[in-house]
């Protein structure tokens, strides 16, 4: 059973814990801290085509996210947005949003966890988010194109 831990995670403590963990398969993922006003952990999911996942830690939650594709490259954006919101419940443990990077909007998939969760739960979330990102980029876009 997964128990809540007493100490909140930070980006740096999660990076250290992931690098020392026996929960990961050899070469499954690599993590590095990106320093800034608020540090972010960039996790490269090697088993998912080197998919980059970004992890940030706030006062109460851990947020993991992956960029999908630029919004302006999506055909029929309004209809796709409705389709995406309806498909939301088919993608376990993840949500969709739009985020701006360098003045360009991107579809994003993300999940949130309590800062007091176990490392095992963080690893499960990272794996699930990577799987969902790949599925979203492939299956959701194909299903939308065939429904349109």
């Amino acid at each position: 059973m997964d128990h809540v831990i007493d100490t909140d995670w930070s980006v740096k403590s999660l990076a250290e814990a992931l690098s020392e963990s026996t929960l990961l398969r050899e070469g499954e993922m690599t993590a590095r801290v990106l320093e800034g006003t608020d540090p972010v952990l960039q996790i490269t999911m090697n088993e998912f085509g080197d998919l980059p996942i970004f992890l940030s830690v706030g006062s109460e939650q851990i947020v993991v996210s992956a960029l999908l594709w630029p919004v302006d490259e999506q055909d029929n954006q309004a209809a796709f947005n409705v389709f995406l919101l309806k498909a939301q419940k088919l993608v376990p443990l993840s949500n969709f949003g739009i985020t701006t990077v360098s003045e360009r909007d991107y579809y994003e998939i993300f999940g949130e966890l309590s800062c007091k969760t176990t490392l095992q739960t963080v690893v499960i979330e990272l794996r699930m988010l990577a799987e969902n990102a790949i599925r979203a980029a492939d299956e959701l876009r194909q299903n939308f194109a065939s429904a349109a």
Side-chain angles (χ1 to χ4, degrees):
M1 181 167 183
D2 191 27
H3 298 286
V4 172
I5 62 172
D6 291 332
T7 306
D8 289 344
W9 288 108
S10 69
V11 166
K12 291 179 182 178
S13 65
L14 270 170
E16 186 175 303
L18 286 170
S19 71
E20 297 171 356
S21 178
T22 58
L23 296 170
L24 303 178
R25 295 181 291 275
E26 180 77 27
E28 178 180 6
M29 62 182 80
T30 53
R32 70 183 180 111
V33 176
L34 304 176
E35 296 292 349
T37 306
D38 294 315
V40 173
L41 188 59
Q42 180 180 351
I43 301 161
T44 302
M45 302 297 289
N46 301 320
E47 294 182 0
F48 290 90
D50 295 336
L51 175 73
I53 291 181
F54 299 92
L55 182 150
S56 61
V57 178
S59 60
E60 295 183 18
Q61 70 180 6
I62 297 168
V63 177
V64 293
S65 65
L67 294 180
L68 297 174
W69 58 86
V71 171
D72 60 17
E73 291 180 5
Q74 179 61 51
D75 293 335
N76 198 350
Q77 293 169 23
F80 181 75
N81 293 345
V82 170
F83 172 81
L84 196 58
L85 289 173
K86 287 180 178 180
Q88 180 80 21
K89 56 189 146 220
L90 303 175
V91 184
L93 303 176
S94 297
N95 299 297
F96 293 100
I98 295 175
T99 191
T100 304
V101 177
S102 300
E103 299 182 25
R104 190 173 187 193
D105 287 343
Y106 286 82
Y107 287 104
E108 172 184 43
I109 190 166
F110 62 95
E112 299 107 344
L113 301 162
S114 166
C115 283
K116 295 185 181 288
T117 195
T118 65
L119 183 62
Q120 180 180 16
T121 301
V122 173
V123 169
I124 290 168
E125 177 66 26
L126 290 168
R127 289 174 179 152
M128 183 59 63
L129 188 80
E131 186 175 311
N132 287 343
I134 298 301
R135 286 182 55 217
D138 182 33
E139 293 172 25
L140 283 178
R141 287 184 94 179
Q142 284 181 11
N143 288 341
F144 173 71
S146 29

Short mmCIF file of all heavy atoms in Angstrom, two decimals, residues 17-31 43-49 53 119-120 122-131:
data_model
loop_
_atom_site.label_atom_id
_atom_site.label_comp_id
_atom_site.label_asym_id
_atom_site.label_seq_id
_atom_site.Cartn_x
_atom_site.Cartn_y
_atom_site.Cartn_z
N ALA A 17 16.62 11.35 -5.41
CA ALA A 17 15.94 10.09 -5.13
C ALA A 17 15.78 9.25 -6.40
O ALA A 17 15.98 8.02 -6.38
CB ALA A 17 14.57 10.36 -4.51
N LEU A 18 15.45 9.89 -7.52
CA LEU A 18 15.32 9.15 -8.78
C LEU A 18 16.66 8.57 -9.23
O LEU A 18 16.72 7.45 -9.73
CB LEU A 18 14.74 10.06 -9.87
CG LEU A 18 13.25 10.36 -9.77
CD1 LEU A 18 12.86 11.46 -10.75
CD2 LEU A 18 12.41 9.11 -9.99
N SER A 19 17.73 9.32 -9.04
CA SER A 19 19.05 8.85 -9.49
C SER A 19 19.54 7.66 -8.65
O SER A 19 20.33 6.86 -9.12
CB SER A 19 20.07 9.98 -9.46
OG SER A 19 20.39 10.31 -8.12
N GLU A 20 19.03 7.53 -7.43
CA GLU A 20 19.46 6.45 -6.54
C GLU A 20 18.45 5.31 -6.44
O GLU A 20 18.71 4.30 -5.78
CB GLU A 20 19.71 7.02 -5.14
CG GLU A 20 20.82 8.05 -5.09
CD GLU A 20 20.91 8.75 -3.74
OE1 GLU A 20 20.05 8.49 -2.86
OE2 GLU A 20 21.83 9.57 -3.58
N SER A 21 17.31 5.44 -7.09
CA SER A 21 16.20 4.51 -6.88
C SER A 21 16.41 3.16 -7.57
O SER A 21 16.88 3.09 -8.71
CB SER A 21 14.91 5.13 -7.39
OG SER A 21 13.85 4.22 -7.24
N THR A 22 15.97 2.12 -6.88
CA THR A 22 15.93 0.78 -7.47
C THR A 22 14.57 0.53 -8.13
O THR A 22 14.35 -0.55 -8.67
CB THR A 22 16.19 -0.29 -6.39
OG1 THR A 22 15.19 -0.15 -5.37
CG2 THR A 22 17.58 -0.15 -5.80
N LEU A 23 13.67 1.51 -8.08
CA LEU A 23 12.36 1.38 -8.71
C LEU A 23 12.43 1.50 -10.22
O LEU A 23 11.50 1.10 -10.93
CB LEU A 23 11.40 2.46 -8.18
CG LEU A 23 11.06 2.42 -6.70
CD1 LEU A 23 10.31 3.68 -6.30
CD2 LEU A 23 10.22 1.18 -6.40
N LEU A 24 13.52 2.08 -10.72
CA LEU A 24 13.66 2.33 -12.16
C LEU A 24 14.43 1.21 -12.83
O LEU A 24 15.35 0.64 -12.26
CB LEU A 24 14.39 3.66 -12.40
CG LEU A 24 13.77 4.90 -11.77
CD1 LEU A 24 14.63 6.12 -12.04
CD2 LEU A 24 12.36 5.10 -12.29
N ARG A 25 14.04 0.93 -14.07
CA ARG A 25 14.79 -0.01 -14.88
C ARG A 25 16.07 0.68 -15.37
O ARG A 25 16.09 1.90 -15.53
CB ARG A 25 13.94 -0.48 -16.07
CG ARG A 25 12.72 -1.28 -15.64
CD ARG A 25 11.90 -1.74 -16.84
NE ARG A 25 11.25 -0.64 -17.54
CZ ARG A 25 10.08 -0.12 -17.19
NH1 ARG A 25 9.43 -0.56 -16.14
NH2 ARG A 25 9.54 0.85 -17.89
N GLU A 26 17.08 -0.10 -15.63
CA GLU A 26 18.35 0.44 -16.13
C GLU A 26 18.12 1.28 -17.38
O GLU A 26 17.53 0.81 -18.36
CB GLU A 26 19.31 -0.73 -16.46
CG GLU A 26 20.65 -0.30 -16.99
CD GLU A 26 21.57 0.19 -15.90
OE1 GLU A 26 21.42 -0.24 -14.75
OE2 GLU A 26 22.44 1.02 -16.21
N GLY A 27 18.50 2.56 -17.33
CA GLY A 27 18.38 3.44 -18.49
C GLY A 27 16.97 3.89 -18.81
O GLY A 27 16.74 4.48 -19.86
N GLU A 28 16.03 3.64 -17.92
CA GLU A 28 14.62 3.98 -18.20
C GLU A 28 14.41 5.48 -18.36
O GLU A 28 13.71 5.92 -19.26
CB GLU A 28 13.74 3.46 -17.05
CG GLU A 28 12.29 3.80 -17.23
CD GLU A 28 11.41 3.28 -16.10
OE1 GLU A 28 11.93 2.74 -15.10
OE2 GLU A 28 10.18 3.43 -16.23
N MET A 29 15.02 6.26 -17.49
CA MET A 29 14.86 7.71 -17.55
C MET A 29 16.09 8.38 -16.97
O MET A 29 16.81 7.79 -16.18
CB MET A 29 13.59 8.16 -16.82
CG MET A 29 13.56 7.85 -15.35
SD MET A 29 12.02 8.36 -14.50
CE MET A 29 10.88 7.05 -14.92
N THR A 30 16.32 9.61 -17.42
CA THR A 30 17.39 10.42 -16.84
C THR A 30 16.78 11.74 -16.41
O THR A 30 15.82 12.21 -17.03
CB THR A 30 18.54 10.67 -17.85
OG1 THR A 30 17.99 11.21 -19.05
CG2 THR A 30 19.26 9.38 -18.19
N ALA A 31 17.33 12.31 -15.36
CA ALA A 31 16.76 13.54 -14.82
C ALA A 31 17.87 14.55 -14.58
O ALA A 31 18.97 14.20 -14.16
CB ALA A 31 16.02 13.24 -13.52
N ILE A 43 12.95 15.42 -17.04
CA ILE A 43 13.12 13.97 -17.03
C ILE A 43 12.98 13.48 -18.47
O ILE A 43 11.96 13.72 -19.11
CB ILE A 43 12.07 13.29 -16.13
CG1 ILE A 43 12.21 13.84 -14.71
CG2 ILE A 43 12.22 11.79 -16.17
CD1 ILE A 43 11.01 13.64 -13.85
N THR A 44 14.01 12.84 -18.96
CA THR A 44 13.97 12.29 -20.31
C THR A 44 13.56 10.83 -20.19
O THR A 44 14.24 10.02 -19.56
CB THR A 44 15.35 12.40 -20.99
OG1 THR A 44 15.72 13.79 -21.01
CG2 THR A 44 15.32 11.87 -22.40
N MET A 45 12.41 10.51 -20.78
CA MET A 45 11.88 9.16 -20.74
C MET A 45 12.48 8.38 -21.91
O MET A 45 11.95 8.38 -23.02
CB MET A 45 10.35 9.19 -20.80
CG MET A 45 9.69 10.00 -19.68
SD MET A 45 10.00 9.32 -18.03
CE MET A 45 9.01 7.84 -18.07
N ASN A 46 13.60 7.75 -21.64
CA ASN A 46 14.38 7.09 -22.68
C ASN A 46 13.60 5.98 -23.38
O ASN A 46 13.78 5.76 -24.58
CB ASN A 46 15.68 6.54 -22.08
CG ASN A 46 16.51 7.65 -21.46
OD1 ASN A 46 16.61 8.74 -21.99
ND2 ASN A 46 17.09 7.36 -20.31
N GLU A 47 12.74 5.29 -22.66
CA GLU A 47 11.97 4.19 -23.25
C GLU A 47 10.77 4.68 -24.06
O GLU A 47 10.05 3.89 -24.64
CB GLU A 47 11.51 3.24 -22.14
CG GLU A 47 12.66 2.51 -21.47
CD GLU A 47 12.21 1.53 -20.41
OE1 GLU A 47 10.98 1.39 -20.17
OE2 GLU A 47 13.09 0.90 -19.80
N PHE A 48 10.56 5.99 -24.07
CA PHE A 48 9.46 6.58 -24.83
C PHE A 48 10.03 7.57 -25.85
O PHE A 48 9.55 8.69 -25.98
CB PHE A 48 8.47 7.28 -23.89
CG PHE A 48 7.68 6.33 -23.04
CD1 PHE A 48 8.14 5.92 -21.80
CD2 PHE A 48 6.46 5.83 -23.50
CE1 PHE A 48 7.40 5.04 -21.03
CE2 PHE A 48 5.72 4.94 -22.73
CZ PHE A 48 6.20 4.54 -21.49
N GLY A 49 11.07 7.16 -26.55
CA GLY A 49 11.66 7.99 -27.59
C GLY A 49 12.29 9.27 -27.08
O GLY A 49 12.26 10.28 -27.75
N ILE A 53 9.80 15.17 -20.04
CA ILE A 53 8.74 15.47 -19.08
C ILE A 53 9.31 16.46 -18.09
O ILE A 53 10.47 16.35 -17.68
CB ILE A 53 8.25 14.20 -18.36
CG1 ILE A 53 7.51 13.31 -19.35
CG2 ILE A 53 7.36 14.55 -17.18
CD1 ILE A 53 6.96 12.03 -18.75
N LEU A 119 7.94 8.06 -3.53
CA LEU A 119 8.70 8.02 -4.78
C LEU A 119 8.08 7.03 -5.75
O LEU A 119 8.03 7.27 -6.95
CB LEU A 119 10.16 7.68 -4.51
CG LEU A 119 11.07 7.68 -5.73
CD1 LEU A 119 11.12 9.07 -6.37
CD2 LEU A 119 12.46 7.20 -5.36
N GLN A 120 7.58 5.92 -5.24
CA GLN A 120 6.94 4.92 -6.10
C GLN A 120 5.77 5.53 -6.87
O GLN A 120 5.61 5.30 -8.06
CB GLN A 120 6.46 3.73 -5.27
CG GLN A 120 5.78 2.67 -6.10
CD GLN A 120 5.32 1.49 -5.27
OE1 GLN A 120 5.23 1.57 -4.04
NE2 GLN A 120 5.01 0.40 -5.92
N VAL A 122 5.38 8.72 -7.62
CA VAL A 122 5.95 9.66 -8.58
C VAL A 122 6.40 8.89 -9.83
O VAL A 122 6.13 9.32 -10.96
CB VAL A 122 7.12 10.46 -7.96
CG1 VAL A 122 7.82 11.31 -9.03
CG2 VAL A 122 6.61 11.34 -6.82
N VAL A 123 7.07 7.78 -9.65
CA VAL A 123 7.55 6.98 -10.79
C VAL A 123 6.37 6.46 -11.61
O VAL A 123 6.39 6.51 -12.84
CB VAL A 123 8.45 5.82 -10.30
CG1 VAL A 123 8.75 4.83 -11.43
CG2 VAL A 123 9.75 6.37 -9.73
N ILE A 124 5.33 5.99 -10.94
CA ILE A 124 4.13 5.53 -11.65
C ILE A 124 3.52 6.66 -12.47
O ILE A 124 3.15 6.48 -13.63
CB ILE A 124 3.10 4.94 -10.66
CG1 ILE A 124 3.60 3.63 -10.09
CG2 ILE A 124 1.73 4.77 -11.32
CD1 ILE A 124 2.81 3.12 -8.90
N GLU A 125 3.44 7.86 -11.89
CA GLU A 125 2.89 9.02 -12.61
C GLU A 125 3.74 9.37 -13.82
O GLU A 125 3.21 9.68 -14.89
CB GLU A 125 2.79 10.22 -11.66
CG GLU A 125 2.30 11.49 -12.34
CD GLU A 125 0.87 11.44 -12.83
OE1 GLU A 125 0.05 10.67 -12.29
OE2 GLU A 125 0.55 12.19 -13.77
N LEU A 126 5.06 9.33 -13.68
CA LEU A 126 5.94 9.63 -14.81
C LEU A 126 5.73 8.64 -15.95
O LEU A 126 5.63 9.03 -17.12
CB LEU A 126 7.40 9.63 -14.36
CG LEU A 126 7.82 10.78 -13.45
CD1 LEU A 126 9.19 10.50 -12.84
CD2 LEU A 126 7.81 12.09 -14.20
N ARG A 127 5.66 7.37 -15.62
CA ARG A 127 5.44 6.35 -16.65
C ARG A 127 4.08 6.51 -17.32
O ARG A 127 3.95 6.42 -18.54
CB ARG A 127 5.55 4.96 -16.03
CG ARG A 127 6.96 4.57 -15.65
CD ARG A 127 6.99 3.25 -14.92
NE ARG A 127 8.34 2.85 -14.57
CZ ARG A 127 8.64 2.09 -13.52
NH1 ARG A 127 7.67 1.64 -12.73
NH2 ARG A 127 9.89 1.77 -13.27
N MET A 128 3.05 6.76 -16.51
CA MET A 128 1.70 6.91 -17.06
C MET A 128 1.59 8.15 -17.94
O MET A 128 0.98 8.12 -19.00
CB MET A 128 0.67 6.98 -15.91
CG MET A 128 -0.76 7.05 -16.37
SD MET A 128 -1.32 5.68 -17.40
CE MET A 128 -1.17 4.31 -16.29
N LEU A 129 2.20 9.24 -17.50
CA LEU A 129 2.16 10.47 -18.30
C LEU A 129 2.86 10.27 -19.64
O LEU A 129 2.36 10.70 -20.68
CB LEU A 129 2.79 11.64 -17.54
CG LEU A 129 2.59 12.98 -18.25
CD1 LEU A 129 1.20 13.52 -17.96
CD2 LEU A 129 3.63 13.96 -17.84
N ALA A 130 4.01 9.59 -19.62
CA ALA A 130 4.72 9.34 -20.88
C ALA A 130 3.87 8.48 -21.81
O ALA A 130 3.75 8.78 -23.01
CB ALA A 130 6.06 8.66 -20.59
N GLU A 131 3.27 7.43 -21.27
CA GLU A 131 2.41 6.58 -22.09
C GLU A 131 1.22 7.36 -22.65
O GLU A 131 0.88 7.25 -23.83
CB GLU A 131 1.92 5.40 -21.25
CG GLU A 131 1.14 4.38 -22.02
CD GLU A 131 0.78 3.18 -21.16
OE1 GLU A 131 1.67 2.65 -20.47
OE2 GLU A 131 -0.40 2.79 -21.18
#
